């Protein structure tokens, strides 16, 4: 799934993304670390992997979107 980086805190390594429908979804340090990123800036296009649905949606991995 794709999203857009919305917020990022380098101290906690957590933040949030906006899904394509505008829904904000938070992510924690574990999801950030799983993607191997060192930094994330608001507005960057990202790829996310999730678990759950609706109010229980949880991001398990966040990485930069690459185009092949």
């Amino acid at each position: 799934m794709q999203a857009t980086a919305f917020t990022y805190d380098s101290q906690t390594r957590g933040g949030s993304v906006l899904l394509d429908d505008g829904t904000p979804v938070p992510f924690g340090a574990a999801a950030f670390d799983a993607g191997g990123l060192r930094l994330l800036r608001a507005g960057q296009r990202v790829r996310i992997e999730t678990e759950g649905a609706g109010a229980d949606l949880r991001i398990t991995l966040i990485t930069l979107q690459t185009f092949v």
Side-chain angles (χ1 to χ4, degrees), residues 23-65:
T23 303
V25 181
F27 64 88
F32 184 79
D33 293 345
L37 297 175
R38 296 189 315 184
L39 180 65
L40 190 60
R41 291 184 299 250
Q44 285 182 302
R45 199 69 176 151
V46 295
R47 183 179 68 83
I48 58 173
E49 292 182 11
T50 61
E51 289 180 346
D56 293 325
L57 185 67
R58 185 174 76 85
I59 297 175
T60 58
L61 177 131
I62 182 167
T63 190
L64 293 180
Q65 176 66 36

Side-chain angles (χ1 to χ4, degrees), residues 6-16 27-29 32-33 38-42:
F6 185 53
T7 64
Y8 173 69
D9 182 336
S10 61
Q11 297 285 334
T12 65
R13 296 183 328 279
S16 64
F27 64 88
F32 184 79
D33 293 345
R38 296 189 315 184
L39 180 65
L40 190 60
R41 291 184 299 250

